Amino acid sequence: MSGSGTPFAAHPYGAVAAVYDELAALYSLGAIDRSKRAGVSALAPGERVLFVGAGRGSDVVGAVRRGCRVTAVDLAPAMLARLRASLDREGLAAETILGDVADHRPAEPYDALVAHYFLNLWDTPLAGAMLAHLRSLVRPGGRLVVADFARPSGGSVASLLANAYYRPIDWLAWALGYCALHPILDYGVLLPAAGFRITREQRFAVLGIRDPAYVSIVAQRID
Ligand SMILES: C[S@@+](CC[C@H](N)C(=O)[O-])C[C@H]1O[C@@H](n2cnc3c(N)ncnc32)[C@H](O)[C@@H]1O
């Protein structure tokens, strides 16, 4: 159940479940959805896949359609209810778990984990601690698929554009309690530090220029 009291249980999204996907599509002009579809394309039929902070789970539905055996965890009942309704509409099945990912201890590790727009709920130290937990949930050689805001591509104009886009939404989400106030996470540092090797990285621009953008990353657990 939710409310486990770990430092990771502070940001349920139930209050915005009805509009979350629509707002994300509008704000990113579809780039968030494109980044999530890229993540799903990295999954293979038959794999056991865990979606952490699954939300309404359009990507969960995509993975089930693809033939993956999916478990989805989220803190917010309203998010999971929408996900289950989407699955039901298509006659698809996935295991859904209401609770804190930090408390999830499966009997067997997964082949792949999907963390789409999840790790950016925390500052860098807590995101690193969550990554250490996620590593324990995936088998050696298994994959972690991440989508998030992309770091600026380089140069002061790129930084200006990325920050002008990202900062106001970060401040607003922080003020409403939806995430920590933090810089765009540096997965080039965080993932290797947590024992993952990046094997694929794709950028999804919002306006057709390099910045601002979102990123889809596939990383492999190294042992
Ligand atoms: C920013 S939303 C992203 C949702 C979805 N992955 C997507 O890309 O649309 C983050 C989701 O993580 C869930 N969440 C936050 N902390 C969590 C935790 N500790 N365990 C499980 N879910 C959590 C929230 O309820 C919310 O649905």
Side-chain angles (χ1 to χ4, degrees), residues 136-155:
S136 75
L137 301 181
V138 69
R139 65 170 171 76
R143 281 139 26 259
L144 171 66
V145 180
V146 172
D148 206 335
F149 288 95
R151 289 179 62 81
S153 57

Side-chain angles (χ1 to χ4, degrees), residues 72-216:
V73 184
D74 203 287
L75 274 181
M79 285 291 197
L80 284 187
R82 281 179 167 74
L83 166 56
R84 281 193 287 264
S86 301
L87 289 165
D88 287 350
R89 266 195 300 278
E90 293 197 33
L92 300 172
E95 181 185 21
T96 56
I97 299 176
L98 176 63
D100 183 348
V101 170
D103 292 332
H104 187 53
R105 302 271 186 281
E108 277 181 49
Y110 295 89
D111 298 311
L113 303 186
V114 179
H116 281 166
Y117 300 95
F118 178 66
L119 290 157
N120 66 9
L121 304 184
W122 303 289
D123 59 15
T124 298
L126 266 186
M130 174 54 79
L131 271 171
H133 173 59
L134 296 186
R135 187 176 185 280
S136 75
L137 301 181
V138 69
R139 65 170 171 76
R143 281 139 26 259
L144 171 66
V145 180
V146 172
D148 206 335
F149 288 95
R151 289 179 62 81
S153 57
S156 50
V157 175
S159 276
L160 197 72
L161 286 171
N163 279 305
Y165 178 77
Y166 169 71
R167 279 288 151 223
I169 198 74
D170 185 35
W171 289 327
L172 179 65
W174 168 76
L176 294 172
Y178 288 118
C179 66
L181 207 51
H182 59 80
I184 296 173
L185 294 174
D186 188 349
Y187 290 102
V189 172
L190 273 170
L191 290 171
F196 291 97
R197 180 173 56 89
I198 295 176
T199 58
R200 191 185 86 181
E201 192 162 340
Q202 289 171 277
R203 234 178 137 80
F204 298 87
V206 177
L207 299 170
I209 50 175
R210 279 194 69 76
D211 298 275
Y214 294 85
V215 69
S216 165

